[in-house]
Amino acid sequence: GAGVSQSPSNKVTEKGKDVELRCDPISGHTALYWYRQSLGQGLEFLIYFQGNSAPDKSGLPSDRFSAERTGGSVSTLTIQRTQQEDSAVYLCASSLGPEIYEQYFGPGTRLTVT
Amino acid sequence: GEDVEQSLFLSVREGDSSVINCTYTDSSSTYLYWYKQEPGAGLQLLTYIFSNMDMKQDQRLTVLLNKKDKHLSLRIADTQTGDSAIYFCAEGAGGSYIPTFGRGTSLIVHP
């Protein structure tokens, strides 16, 4: 079956522009996570959605970052007024439920801010 | 706060065993995971172990957990060039749905 998909795979943008990154989780997965992976760093948690519950936004680094999940499926991560330090790979993962023992990751979106 | 530490690089010869080590600080960790990331791809769950287990074996993979020392290891037997990747250790604590990841160990397998 289809795995987690993300688009675009690569995005180059100018400093100050807004970007939208999309994640399509595996059908039926109620939990969805966004992470950021910078060069040489581990995974930085950004935001977590579980079903219809209020998302856990505790990892968002600034108010320029926001995310939504429509209909409990597709999610969009928006970065406003991008900065060079936002350059990273943004990974999305989904899982069947709030148990975290098995997350399925998408291939990521590589964002480069020039 | 929680912290997960891994060495950054490991180089082995094809056919040898690889041992990737990880230490964590959260004593309430319930699950511990190993993920593999190949170039240009997302992370793939390799295996996980519950905190009440000491060892788990799955084909060429052996996970050892020393809960007293908060030390986790992943052993890959008969390492192949296709095993070259970055391996991430992660821990999840009971009541938290957000795992903490280490920085990853880059495994390089020489022919």
Side-chain angles (χ1 to χ4, degrees):
Chain A
V4 178
S5 61
Q6 293 185 245
S7 61
S9 55
N10 281 284
K11 177 72 177 178
V12 180
T13 191
E14 292 180 352
K15 177 182 173 182
K17 301 283 190 184
D18 298 352
V19 294
E20 282 190 353
L21 312 180
R22 177 187 168 105
C23 172
D24 280 272
I26 293 173
S27 178
H29 280 195
T30 62
L32 187 147
Y33 302 77
W34 281 99
Y35 296 93
R36 179 167 69 176
Q37 184 178 25
S38 302
L39 189 64
Q41 303 295 315
L43 268 66
E44 177 187 4
F45 163 76
L46 297 177
I47 189 168
Y48 162 71
F49 295 90
Q50 169 54 41
N52 295 321
S53 302
D56 182 336
K57 305 179 183 178
S58 60
L60 294 179
S62 77
D63 59 8
R64 296 186 296 105
F65 288 72
S66 63
E68 62 177 21
R69 188 177 184 193
T70 54
S73 180
V74 171
S75 178
T76 302
L77 177 69
T78 301
I79 309 173
Q80 296 178 309
R81 304 181 301 282
T82 52
Q83 304 294 312
Q84 287 187 329
E85 59 263 29
D86 299 334
S87 295
V89 175
Y90 290 82
L91 292 166
C92 174
S94 70
S95 67
L96 270 172
E99 295 85 8
I100 56 172
Y101 63 91
E102 192 162 2
Q103 291 187 355
Y104 294 83
F105 281 79
T109 293
R110 181 174 296 278
L111 175 66
T112 304
V113 182
T114 61
Chain B
E2 307 96 5
D3 197 14
V4 177
E5 299 285 342
Q6 303 178 238
S7 54
L8 293 182
F9 298 99
L10 177 65
S11 178
V12 299
R13 192 174 299 278
E14 188 175 19
D16 288 350
S17 291
S18 308
V19 179
I20 303 171
N21 294 301
C22 170
T23 58
Y24 60 97
T25 58
D26 190 343
S27 58
S28 65
S29 294
T30 306
Y31 303 98
L32 295 127
Y33 316 87
W34 285 104
Y35 285 86
K36 176 183 180 182
Q37 185 179 33
E38 296 181 351
L43 277 68
Q44 174 194 0
L45 179 66
L46 283 180
T47 186
Y48 63 92
I49 189 169
F50 295 108
S51 60
N52 61 358
M53 298 169 65
D54 297 323
M55 184 182 84
K56 181 178 181 180
Q57 187 156 3
D58 184 1
Q59 300 182 339
R60 293 190 297 120
L61 305 179
T62 303
V63 179
L64 294 178
L65 174 61
N66 181 328
K67 196 174 180 182
K68 173 177 171 290
D69 294 338
K70 300 188 185 68
H71 182 268
L72 182 73
S73 68
L74 173 69
R75 178 177 181 270
I76 305 172
D78 187 25
T79 313
Q80 303 298 307
T81 54
D83 294 324
S84 293
I86 302 175
Y87 291 80
F88 289 89
C89 170
E91 62 90 19
S96 171
Y97 302 137
I98 304 161
T100 301
F101 286 82
R103 292 190 174 191
T105 298
S106 182
L107 174 64
I108 301 167
V109 183
H110 298 284

